[in-house]
Amino acid sequence: MKFNIRDIGPEGLRVQRVLPDAQLRDLLASSGVEAGPGPARADLDLELSQAEAQPSVVFVRGALHGRFEVACSRCLAPALIEAAEEDLHATFLPHRSPAAEEELSSEDLDTYSHDGEEVDLEPLVREFLLLAIPMAPVCNEECRGICVGCGAELNREPCRCAAPVAKETAAVANDT
């Protein structure tokens, strides 16, 4: 997803692209996220433009949508992730070596660097998709998860260790 800065020109460059299943899976996997078995897709509708005073500064505006699955944090079934940003804004600046200790401002949060010749949208898309994944994704809010004792998937079957554990607890209580 690299674009030559010279190709952007004064009129800008419109990027309408669908990231197919395999490409989106690779993008997520490069950050350690394994997409679930369902279809994965991302749609980009972006406008790249150069700053008038500094053509090496590239602005990206537009919409980004993603849909993919990850493992549910409770039962490991597929959990659907839907990401949508209708008003995406990002700025790409030429790479510069960082100062020893530089404090970031709020304007720096949507800033990326480029090599002076090409703008690579992959880090922007990857960050957007990763930030859409909750800390503990769930297949549904009522998911009961997996029993740590017997391994039963509690959405589909009852716990097989509940009765023996209750009997053991009662026996220990009676012995004391």
Side-chain angles (χ1 to χ4, degrees):
M1 289 189 283
K2 294 182 180 183
F3 299 90
N4 193 304
I5 293 174
R6 289 189 305 264
D7 294 341
I8 296 171
E11 67 282 347
L13 178 67
R14 182 137 190 213
V15 176
Q16 291 180 305
R17 185 168 287 175
V18 174
L19 297 184
D21 190 273
Q23 188 176 2
L24 184 57
R25 287 177 189 283
D26 289 344
L27 184 69
L28 293 169
S30 69
S31 295
V33 174
E34 184 178 339
R41 175 185 169 126
D43 298 294
L44 287 71
D45 186 3
L46 304 172
E47 183 74 34
L48 281 67
S49 61
Q50 295 173 295
E52 288 183 30
Q54 292 181 294
S56 64
V57 175
V58 177
F59 301 113
V60 177
R61 288 176 175 53
L64 232 162
H65 300 267
R67 183 180 174 100
F68 56 96
E69 294 176 341
V70 296
C72 174
S73 62
R74 296 178 189 165
C75 71
L76 303 178
L80 180 63
I81 304 298
E82 292 184 294
E85 177 60 64
E86 297 297 329
D87 195 26
L88 177 79
H89 290 26
T91 303
F92 284 81
L93 302 170
H95 181 73
R96 59 184 174 90
S97 40
E101 285 193 32
E102 185 175 325
E103 189 170 321
L104 296 176
S105 69
S106 62
E107 291 90 36
D108 295 324
L109 296 178
D110 294 325
T111 303
Y112 300 83
S113 65
H114 64 76
D115 64 5
E117 294 185 25
E118 291 181 320
V119 172
D120 186 1
L121 297 180
E122 188 172 296
L124 171 70
V125 174
R126 180 185 306 111
E127 180 179 303
F128 168 75
L129 295 172
L130 292 175
L131 289 174
I133 303 171
M135 288 285 286
V138 293
C139 57
N140 68 67
E141 291 301 320
E142 290 79 35
C143 178
R144 297 178 59 214
I146 297 174
C147 174
V148 295
C150 67
E153 208 274 81
L154 301 174
N155 297 318
R156 296 186 186 154
E157 60 184 306
C159 175
R160 295 180 301 269
C161 65
V165 169
K167 289 178 187 173
E168 288 175 24
T169 305
V172 170
N174 289 335
D175 288 342
T176 51

